[in-house]
Amino acid sequence: MDNFRFYPTLTDDMAEKSGCSVEKYSFSYTSGEWEYELKQKGHSTVKLTDPSEIWKIENDGLRLEKKISIAYPNFLFGKDGIVCSSAKLGICIIWTNKTLTQTGCIMPVTDITTPSGRNCYFEYDFEPGRISGDLELSVIMYVKKQADTILDDEQNLMNEEGVSVGVLETVVLDFNSIYMEFPIEEFSSENEPLWWVEFSEWEDPKTIETFTKENICLYLNPHYHLCPMTDGNIKNVEMLSEILAMTYFMIFNRLSDEDLRATKNDINLEPGSICSVLHQFLLDCDEDLVFEPRERLLKGLQMNIAKRLAEDDA
Amino acid sequence: MMIRLKKLSYKEAHRIISDYDNMEDIAFNDLIEHWKRYDTDNDYHESYADFREELIDVFDKYHSLLEDNKKVYLLDLKLGLKLYSLLPPGKDFTEIQSNDNDIWRYISVKVMPDITYLRYPEPEKNIKEAGGRLNHKRFYAATRRIWLKTLWWYIHLSWQGSEEKTFEVLKENGTDNINKLIETPGRGYRIPLFRSMMREYAANTPHKVRDFAAFTKLNNAKCVLVEPALTLGGEDAYSHRLFGELFPKGETNENAE
């Protein structure tokens, strides 16, 4: 519903025609007098790692830099564009940290238009202690200054200041390790098994259902002494690894052929969606998972998850 | 002495509060008599001693307001301002820490159980029906209802640069404003916007709590499309226009149901 608009917004075609070029973020942090770059893995969901294994978003903060250029910005104005001819178009990054329920805007430090196009450069520091768990970064275009005169063929265009008229890119940063991000609930009961999984009805796991407890939940039952986790503390990594592998196996089996294809190839996946997180999971696997025959998929999952949990545990 | 922040898990907080719930009548009544004299035998970390004393001073000064539902807001406000001055946001109390329920659970359950009880002596209906005595939500259970946490966040989201200015902006409000502000974050708290909205709301007194509800509700609806910081004149002008949209003649909706 949030994506439905009664006015034209930026399309892939428009972005291409106007020569929009969004460079990858550069992420780093500062320790003492030195700045250290963080490595990125993934596209719509990005996992950051620190080669020197010091960085933690909570303790060290995060610095980002990004360049955006539009070779032919004129294509974005007028009846076939997204704002009126005499309006001003702004570009900014909206950040949202769901864990801390915070959101805000990052404005470009430079925004220069020359005959060869428009170039925006962003530089921003999230200080230590400011962000936790997750961070979504959306580059948006918005009406910066409304047009004083709206031409007859521009009546359908948005002309209210501060309103978004298109999203150039959305990236979700994943700061947690595999078992932390997986939706797990502990539920102690003598009437339930050691572990089980509950799924909601999925309408479109590529876009609608998010990889969260409402849609996927692994229940672990501390009533049993074999339970691999109590109060969030892992007691038995091998057991947790086996359970997670079976859970991922069930999740992959639940996808239609089309959803699985989209997941493997990152086709039209909404950040945070079930398929988007699974895509990231596949990227993070050391060796490509083989899906057929199914027993090979399960074995591949067992091997990969065991390795990752062992790394996290180290 | 600088506070060394401690944490108390949900489970542990639940256990402690449930232990109070399950006390024998005589023992519980005796406990309450002690709490009324701000006498607790809790073993909280020593670095909280001055913090506790300063909060008790403010609570005691305004505790007579507890008897008047309409005036008890002043106690909340004064205590909130004191709490904020003792735990100012910054390097020693980061956004992450101010959001950490376990830190607030420690403060509520271990350090300040007496005033939390005295402020909210009635348990929730379901707790009461189950024989409970304390208000679990206000002590530890509901992440946006832990009393002292809500006071800190109310001041934080309304902060005007100084205690005096913040008091001036908030003094005409009521307890419901606290809940309404905390519980309507939209996609996330836009802190500069909330501070502008509180200024705008204060500039349009007298007003009623339902005006504030309408104000925050309209803001959430607008923010689906508009990013207030990006509008002409930024958050201040946006807040002014928003209020003007709700009450075109600069009047509050006194006749509204």
Side-chain angles (χ1 to χ4, degrees):
Chain A
M1 186 67 184
D2 271 7
N3 296 323
F4 187 75
R5 297 285 182 266
F6 292 96
Y7 53 87
T9 52
L10 187 76
T11 61
D12 291 346
D13 190 39
M14 263 188 242
E16 197 179 323
K17 265 188 188 166
S18 56
C20 286
S21 162
V22 182
E23 280 189 21
K24 256 179 88 171
Y25 283 98
S26 155
F27 294 109
S28 59
Y29 71 99
T30 308
S31 179
E33 290 180 359
W34 300 93
E35 190 174 329
Y36 299 89
E37 196 168 337
L38 294 165
K39 280 193 174 171
Q40 303 177 48
K41 215 172 175 186
H43 300 290
S44 53
T45 302
V46 173
K47 188 169 183 180
L48 297 178
T49 49
D50 176 17
S52 48
E53 296 182 354
I54 294 169
W55 177 75
K56 271 194 165 183
I57 178 71
E58 290 83 0
N59 302 337
D60 303 298
L62 182 70
R63 177 182 181 79
L64 64 83
E65 288 172 55
K66 191 174 189 67
K67 278 182 195 162
I68 292 163
S69 55
I70 308 170
Y72 316 108
N74 288 349
F75 279 105
L76 301 171
F77 294 82
K79 67 180 172 67
D80 297 323
I82 44 177
V83 288
C84 299
S85 311
S86 60
K88 277 191 180 169
L89 188 68
I91 300 172
C92 74
I93 301 171
I94 304 277
W95 64 268
T96 306
N97 181 197
K98 286 182 188 158
T99 305
L100 301 185
T101 332
Q102 306 252 343
T103 186
C105 306
I106 301 171
M107 307 307 283
V109 285
T110 58
D111 184 351
I112 301 164
T113 303
T114 64
S116 61
R118 179 173 178 179
N119 294 295
C120 296
Y121 176 65
F122 295 86
E123 211 178 71
Y124 193 77
D125 285 298
F126 289 100
E127 301 89 7
R130 190 151 164 229
I131 299 291
S132 179
D134 62 279
L135 185 64
E136 185 179 296
L137 299 164
S138 284
V139 179
I140 67 153
M141 289 182 168
Y142 65 96
V143 182
K144 190 173 180 182
K145 189 169 183 306
Q146 65 188 44
D148 296 331
T149 317
I150 302 172
L151 303 178
D152 287 346
D153 56 5
E154 295 177 344
Q155 297 291 338
N156 63 330
L157 297 175
M158 173 48 67
N159 192 37
E160 195 179 322
E161 284 165 16
V163 177
S164 167
V165 284
V167 180
L168 272 170
E169 177 199 71
T170 298
V171 165
V172 174
L173 301 183
D174 162 25
F175 301 126
N176 290 326
S177 60
I178 176 177
Y179 57 86
M180 291 297 286
E181 75 184 293
F182 200 94
I184 297 177
E185 273 284 312
E186 290 175 38
F187 187 90
S188 185
S189 168
E190 58 183 330
N191 302 317
E192 301 287 353
L194 174 63
W195 70 276
W196 73 99
V197 181
E198 286 182 10
F199 297 121
S200 65
E201 288 294 319
W202 297 350
E203 199 179 317
D204 182 0
K206 298 190 296 301
T207 58
I208 298 175
E209 284 82 19
T210 50
F211 199 85
T212 50
K213 279 180 189 165
E214 303 90 78
N215 301 308
I216 293 170
C217 192
L218 166 62
Y219 287 89
L220 300 175
N221 189 348
H223 174 73
Y224 300 96
H225 76 276
L226 270 178
C227 183
M229 191 185 265
T230 310
D231 295 335
N233 300 316
I234 298 178
K235 294 192 304 186
N236 185 337
V237 177
E238 287 85 3
M239 172 74 85
L240 181 63
S241 163
E242 289 299 304
I243 293 173
L244 279 170
M246 267 310 290
T247 308
Y248 272 101
F249 184 65
M250 284 194 270
I251 296 170
F252 278 115
N253 281 338
R254 224 167 175 257
L255 297 183
S256 67
D257 289 346
E258 186 210 331
D259 290 341
L260 185 57
R261 204 166 31 251
T263 301
K264 286 177 181 172
N265 301 306
D266 197 5
I267 302 168
N268 296 329
L269 306 181
E270 278 291 318
S273 66
I274 290 171
C275 291
S276 162
V277 174
L278 291 178
H279 172 74
Q280 183 59 39
F281 176 84
L282 293 178
L283 284 180
D284 289 343
C285 287
D286 274 354
E287 286 176 33
D288 286 349
L289 288 178
V290 178
F291 281 76
E292 294 295 343
R294 281 313 214 204
E295 61 271 25
R296 281 194 67 188
L297 173 61
L298 180 57
K299 191 177 177 192
L301 288 166
Q302 287 170 311
M303 302 294 286
N304 269 290
I305 291 172
K307 191 164 180 228
R308 267 194 258 177
L309 279 182
E311 281 168 6
D312 283 334
D313 208 31
Chain B
M1 181 191 266
M2 201 170 87
I3 296 171
R4 286 187 60 189
L5 293 169
K6 298 284 171 187
K7 297 186 184 188
L8 190 69
S9 70
Y10 178 97
K11 210 169 174 180
E12 189 59 13
H14 175 76
R15 190 193 60 74
I16 294 171
I17 297 300
S18 297
D19 282 351
Y20 288 135
D21 279 344
N22 296 328
M23 286 170 100
E24 295 293 330
D25 284 350
I26 294 175
F28 184 75
N29 291 338
D30 185 50
L31 174 78
I32 298 307
E33 285 309 312
H34 279 87
W35 278 0
K36 282 179 181 170
R37 298 194 299 270
Y38 313 119
D39 176 15
T40 68
D41 56 3
N42 287 12
D43 56 342
Y44 53 84
H45 190 267
E46 59 183 8
S47 65
Y48 285 91
D50 293 344
F51 168 87
R52 175 176 157 79
E53 202 173 309
E54 293 211 40
L55 287 182
I56 293 290
D57 281 350
V58 175
F59 188 88
D60 191 49
K61 190 172 169 188
Y62 294 96
H63 87 281
S64 62
L65 302 177
L66 284 169
E67 287 149 28
D68 188 335
N69 261 345
K70 285 182 181 169
K71 289 183 181 165
V72 72
Y73 168 74
L74 185 63
L75 181 150
D76 283 340
L77 178 56
K78 288 285 187 184
L79 199 72
L81 286 165
K82 176 53 78 180
L83 180 60
Y84 199 71
S85 74
L86 296 170
L87 283 174
K91 278 186 184 169
D92 296 327
F93 195 56
T94 65
E95 301 272 4
I96 295 174
Q97 288 163 327
S98 60
N99 265 285
D100 190 332
N101 292 316
D102 288 352
I103 286 177
W104 290 109
R105 285 179 183 126
Y106 186 90
I107 292 174
S108 296
V109 176
K110 299 278 275 186
V111 186
M112 313 298 308
D114 43 359
I115 65 167
T116 305
Y117 170 79
L118 294 171
R119 174 64 180 91
Y120 285 99
E122 281 298 308
E124 307 92 303
K125 195 170 168 238
N126 60 327
I127 300 282
K128 196 171 189 175
E129 283 169 1
R133 290 163 158 141
L134 298 188
N135 192 310
H136 289 230
K137 280 184 185 172
R138 294 295 183 177
F139 267 98
Y140 72 93
T143 58
R144 291 210 173 106
R145 286 280 170 112
I146 298 170
W147 175 51
L148 292 168
K149 181 187 174 193
T150 63
L151 295 188
W152 190 94
W153 272 94
Y154 180 58
I155 301 300
H156 186 56
L157 295 173
S158 312
W159 188 247
Q160 302 295 318
S162 72
E163 214 170 301
E164 295 73 25
K165 285 181 186 167
T166 309
F167 178 77
E168 281 304 310
V169 158
L170 298 180
K171 66 182 181 187
E172 300 295 334
N173 290 354
T175 308
D176 285 348
N177 291 89
I178 300 176
N179 299 333
K180 198 48 86 182
L181 189 68
I182 308 290
E183 290 168 9
T184 51
R187 193 177 70 220
Y189 294 122
R190 293 167 170 86
I191 292 173
L193 170 66
F194 275 46
R195 291 174 178 173
S196 286
M197 285 176 65
M198 295 312 277
R199 261 196 308 279
E200 183 63 30
Y201 185 63
N204 286 282
T205 44
H207 44 222
K208 295 186 175 177
V209 169
R210 60 176 173 240
D211 298 339
F212 190 72
F215 194 33
T216 52
K217 204 171 165 184
L218 181 64
N219 174 55
N220 273 352
K222 288 259 180 196
C223 283
V224 173
L225 278 183
V226 181
E227 193 53 52
L230 305 177
T231 58
L232 182 68
E235 289 95 343
D236 282 351
Y238 165 88
S239 302
H240 187 66
R241 284 195 298 273
L242 192 70
F243 203 87
E245 207 172 304
L246 266 180
F247 310 112
K249 292 169 190 168
E251 294 168 3
T252 54
N253 61 344
E254 301 228 344
N255 299 320
E257 286 304 313

